[in-house]
Amino acid sequence: MATTAHEMDTAELAALLQFYAESGLVDLCEDAPTDRFQQSAEILQARAKPQPRTNVAAPVANGQKPALDQPASSSSIGRKAAAQPIAPAPQASQLTIPGAAAFSDARGLAASANSIAELRSALEGFTGCNLRHSAKTMVFADGNPEADVMFIGEAPGREEDLQGTPFVGRAGQLLDRMLAAIGLSRDTAYITNIIPWRPPGNRTPAAHEIELCRPFVERHIALANPMIVIMLGNIASKALLDTDKGILSLRGTWMECKVGESATPAMPTLHPAYLLRNPAQKRLAWADFLALQDRLEHLKIS
């Protein structure tokens, strides 16, 4: 007979909670799924829907009905306003779809940054992306911003969210070993992500979240001005190369990452987290990193 949670001792419960934490299950969930998109749409519709007008009846004098077009007094207006129900504001944890103003703000804030430090401050002040409300920290970048090569991943995971540094979990440790294998390190490479805030439960970022963060990433590339950009995984490759092709079709191919009027040599490769799940594919990533090493050596010679 299966043991229930009530029958577990303290040690077993602690082990179970530790297993959940190591699996990335750090957010409490409801018993039933909730469609946050539908919930947000209903709230916005309720706010946009005009409220029906109600006439405040004046006291009846001498059996005559009051005129319906009689202006309401200031006191009656105040009573109507107080009685009017107020639509609840969306909670920070809800996945609300931003309006056009949020995308405009993202582009404006990114364009206004004239240095990487200013870009970081602009991103910290940007409130249009809901992910910032559920994440513990903003994960901006790590490494040398003046490096020849810039690596761009997807989004922070649990360890990254706790430490505020990209690629510090198991996938980050694998990336460090891959860099070392071709003579690079965090002192000679620059590392960031498309999304600077951890999506709840490490879910895949939504399309509108990627679009909200894209102006900041593109400005980041322009300010760092690397000689080569390496996209790690599907999300970064599709966002920066404007393609629908999968990473297995794109990887290992030299392309161009276009930001404004500039075009930087770029290559998509497999994300280290994918390699941890599919160790047999490490040979493909190794071939890509050897191609990167060769490209860097030719750039230094020229």
Side-chain angles (χ1 to χ4, degrees), residues 17-236:
L17 292 174
Q18 180 66 24
F19 170 76
Y20 286 155
E22 292 177 352
S23 300
L25 302 178
V26 296
D27 298 301
L28 294 177
C29 298
E30 300 175 358
D31 294 335
T34 301
D35 189 340
R36 300 299 185 187
F37 289 99
Q38 179 64 28
Q39 193 176 66
S40 300
E42 290 174 355
I43 292 173
L44 294 175
Q45 289 175 2
R47 287 181 170 181
K49 185 177 180 181
Q51 298 294 330
R53 295 183 59 185
T54 57
N55 293 312
V56 180
V60 178
N62 300 325
Q64 296 180 351
K65 293 183 179 180
L68 294 180
D69 58 350
Q70 180 180 356
S73 65
S74 59
S75 60
S76 65
I77 293 175
R79 288 195 298 273
K80 287 174 66 179
Q84 196 68 255
I86 301 175
Q91 298 299 313
S93 60
Q94 294 178 0
L95 183 59
T96 54
I97 302 175
F103 294 93
S104 178
D105 288 346
R107 291 190 294 269
L109 285 170
S112 67
N114 295 314
S115 67
I116 291 179
E118 289 183 7
L119 182 67
R120 179 173 189 143
S121 297
L123 195 53
E124 288 174 341
F126 178 59
T127 59
C129 184
N130 273 66
L131 292 178
R132 66 172 295 132
H133 302 299
S134 58
K136 290 180 173 61
T137 58
M138 186 189 78
V139 181
F140 185 69
D142 191 30
N144 183 359
E146 298 181 356
D148 292 335
V149 58
M150 183 175 186
F151 292 85
I152 304 177
E154 178 182 315
R158 178 175 179 271
E159 291 300 320
E160 289 78 11
D161 187 36
L162 292 174
Q163 299 186 36
T165 304
F167 286 94
V168 292
R170 290 182 61 219
Q173 294 167 15
L174 176 56
L175 178 61
D176 287 343
R177 294 196 296 271
M178 295 165 69
L179 293 175
I182 61 170
L184 295 177
S185 68
R186 298 207 178 211
D187 292 330
T188 55
Y190 194 42
I191 305 171
T192 187
N193 282 306
I194 291 287
I195 307 290
W197 300 284
R198 181 198 180 199
N202 289 352
R203 64 165 173 78
T204 301
H208 71 271
E209 293 165 349
I210 295 171
E211 287 303 310
L212 278 172
C213 297
R214 185 207 294 266
F216 295 101
V217 178
E218 291 179 343
R219 187 60 180 160
H220 205 163
I221 296 172
L223 292 171
N225 193 26
M227 300 177 73
I228 295 174
V229 173
I230 300 295
M231 286 82 72
L232 301 170
N234 256 323
I235 298 296

